[in-house]
Amino acid sequence: MNLPEVKSTHKNLGLPTVHALFGSDPFIWNWGMETFANFLPSDLLRDKNVTLKFAECVDPFIRVIDGIVGERVAMRIDLESSNGHTTTGLFAHNNLSVSVGYAAAAFALAVLEGSTKPGVWFPEEPEGIAIDARKLLLRRASRGVTNFTMNK
């Protein structure tokens, strides 16, 4: 059960090999997710009703832990080309929910401005954000970041 970006990138960009990893901090969340993925039947994990009920049950615990350790978010993307060239992007923000709010607002503005079609799209999909509008979208979505680096 890989990240959906892997399939979408492979399909829409025609890349032969796409690999994605996901982790969080504190490490206990990674252990918990790995345990669930390894021991629960995949049909159960794909059932939206089951996962919604599970999320409702663990949400209070997550909020307590986040209140203690913080709600930071960071993403790193490495693109390794077949010619040996590597490109890296990095995004870090001290508050996950604020960061998600800025990103959602940036996409809503893009829809209102006609830079993307209404709906939920991966950037690589044809209906996704127009290439010439991506710089503005990223500037808006990265408001308040502690680190934002692209194409290094």
Side-chain angles (χ1 to χ4, degrees):
M1 295 180 62
N2 215 325
L3 298 173
E5 296 88 338
V6 171
K7 183 177 180 181
S8 178
T9 302
H10 172 72
K11 176 184 169 192
N12 291 291
L13 299 180
L15 299 175
T17 305
V18 181
H19 183 73
L21 300 172
F22 177 82
S24 64
D25 194 32
F27 63 88
I28 188 97
W29 304 137
N30 296 322
W31 286 355
M33 294 301 287
E34 184 177 15
T35 300
F36 287 123
N38 288 333
F39 294 107
L40 294 177
S42 59
D43 291 348
L44 189 67
L45 295 173
R46 287 188 179 101
D47 185 322
K48 290 181 182 180
N49 292 324
V50 170
T51 56
L52 179 61
K53 287 178 185 171
F54 175 73
E56 289 172 353
C57 289
V58 299
D59 183 62
F61 301 106
I62 292 171
R63 291 185 185 275
V64 167
I65 298 298
D66 284 351
I68 296 168
V69 301
E71 193 186 342
R72 291 181 190 93
V73 62
M75 293 176 272
R76 176 179 166 164
I77 301 166
D78 295 316
L79 172 65
E80 299 173 6
S81 302
S82 58
N83 65 3
H85 180 76
T86 301
T87 302
T88 298
L90 181 65
F91 174 95
H93 197 287
N94 282 333
N95 192 305
L96 172 64
S97 56
V98 170
S99 170
V100 169
Y102 286 140
F107 275 99
L109 282 171
V111 171
L112 292 172
E113 294 166 347
S115 300
T116 188
K117 294 180 181 179
V120 178
W121 312 104
F122 289 111
E124 64 274 5
E125 292 180 303
E127 299 85 356
I129 191 81
I131 291 173
D132 60 341
R134 290 179 184 183
K135 188 173 184 178
L136 176 60
L137 174 103
L138 290 172
R139 184 174 53 81
R140 289 172 171 167
S142 62
R143 184 175 168 198
V145 298
T146 56
N147 194 341
F148 182 63
T149 307
M150 292 293 292
N151 300 323
K152 297 293 177 184

